[in-house]
Amino acid sequence: MTIPSAYIHIPFCQQICHYCDFTKFFYNERLADEYMEALYQEIHTYIPGGKARVKTIFVGGGTPTVVTLSQLERLLRMIDEHFDIPACEEYTFEANPGDLDLEKVKLLKAYGVNRISLGVQVFDDDMLEKIGRVHQVKDVYTNVDRLIQAGLTNISIDLMYALPGQTVGAFEETIDEALQFGLPHYSSYSLQIEPKTVFYQRYKKGTLVKPPEDDEAEMYELLQRKLADQGVNQYEISNFAKPGFESKHNLTYWNNEYYYGIGAGSHGYVPGKRTINIRPLPAYVKQAKANGRPILHEEPVGLKEQMEEEMFLGLRKASGVSLKHFKGKYSRTVNEVFKDAVPKLKERGLLTVGDDSIRLTDKGKILGNEVFQEFLLDS
């Protein structure tokens, strides 16, 4: 069966952000060289001959662009060796503002990268420092201009809200400044306090306080309204795009489709199972070099799990879950499988049911986790 997408993880960062719980390590040139060797072995194990045809490739991190120019070219070459880049509809690299010098931008363009996701977070230098970011606002302007001049115009920026000390007014200023770029895609996420992060330690000590929940909800509603006013439509709980610029790679996840998960700590979904790779860098490198399969855990995905995930993931989209598609895929209707959940959530005003879709209401988007847990089936 065809695997339509590939996620490739580069775990290195110049500095570790206070909120980040992704697999990441401080950049070291020697370690990055070893990692590239291991990464090659893993990719080659999945695709031992020829070039795989995929619809999307997403290179994330960490910070993929923190590596040296020669390491970046090495990475791009190994991807080009194993994937049919001209046939790939969307090829995304994550980057931090300030990492993209002219040579790196030209290199990305030359190897067929056609989308850039910039981790901006906020347009406020003081707040950037408080959350552990190393770039400044001016770097965003420099990098966006550099990308556009090189012809890389499909740019997305990430924004964060509900940060410690952030007011509704401050987040509104960030939204307004972000919209001045007129970019085709924006993602925005509220701060989640995750274990093994700087913010988690501060939270446990009582020295970190998030804004009140009412302020967080107001920030989210402000985000929805302001982007909609500019023709940037919400197509998923945290993602907004001008028509035609929705992230095809992320839609792979939300449509519950298969994808390779390559690199330290990566998650993959291939027929019959979900995989989680080894996170610690030395252990990942050792195992990948040994047999090309640095997998920590494989979890079988049966029919029950597939149907649950179809609802969890599909309801994140503004279009919701297609009733016709669900029945065609599983030979059962949503109402047959989840006969109690749908009317219960509809009565609470969290779901709306149309002729061929079930979607979250605005209230449901805010209370998404409460909705999703209702679609857990009994064993």
Side-chain angles (χ1 to χ4, degrees), residues 267-339:
H267 291 229
Y269 181 33
V270 294
K273 61 188 176 183
R274 289 191 181 273
T275 61
I276 302 174
N277 273 1
I278 297 167
R279 285 178 66 115
L281 195 58
Y284 167 83
V285 169
K286 181 180 179 181
Q287 191 63 34
K289 286 184 177 181
N291 64 9
R293 288 181 54 80
I295 293 174
L296 174 67
H297 179 67
E298 290 185 345
E299 181 179 348
V301 179
L303 181 61
K304 168 183 169 290
E305 290 80 15
Q306 288 182 55
M307 293 189 295
E308 290 174 341
E309 291 169 359
E310 195 80 20
M311 302 306 294
F312 300 161
L313 298 166
L315 283 172
R316 294 188 61 90
K317 299 180 295 180
S319 59
V321 174
S322 165
L323 301 176
K324 181 179 179 181
H325 176 78
F326 188 97
K327 184 176 181 181
K329 190 171 183 179
Y330 301 108
S331 301
R332 298 175 67 187
T333 68
V334 169
N335 284 328
E336 287 172 342
V337 179
F338 303 102
K339 55 182 179 296

Side-chain angles (χ1 to χ4, degrees), residues 89-131:
E89 297 175 21
E90 183 185 273
Y91 185 2
T92 303
F93 254 72
E94 282 188 336
N96 282 342
D99 284 339
L100 288 173
D101 59 32
L102 187 58
E103 289 76 14
K104 287 181 179 178
V105 170
K106 287 180 178 178
L107 197 61
L108 293 170
K109 185 75 165 60
Y111 276 88
V113 174
N114 58 17
R115 186 174 183 271
I116 300 293
S117 178
L118 284 177
V120 173
Q121 315 315 352
V122 289
F123 285 90
D124 179 330
D125 284 341
D126 289 339
M127 182 62 75
L128 286 168
E129 185 176 355
K130 288 176 182 175
I131 64 176

Side-chain angles (χ1 to χ4, degrees), residues 27 60-61 117 144 157 245 257 260 286 306 337 354:
Y27 173 74
S117 178
V144 170
I157 62 174
F245 288 92
E257 297 173 347
Y260 297 107
K286 181 180 179 181
Q306 288 182 55
V337 179

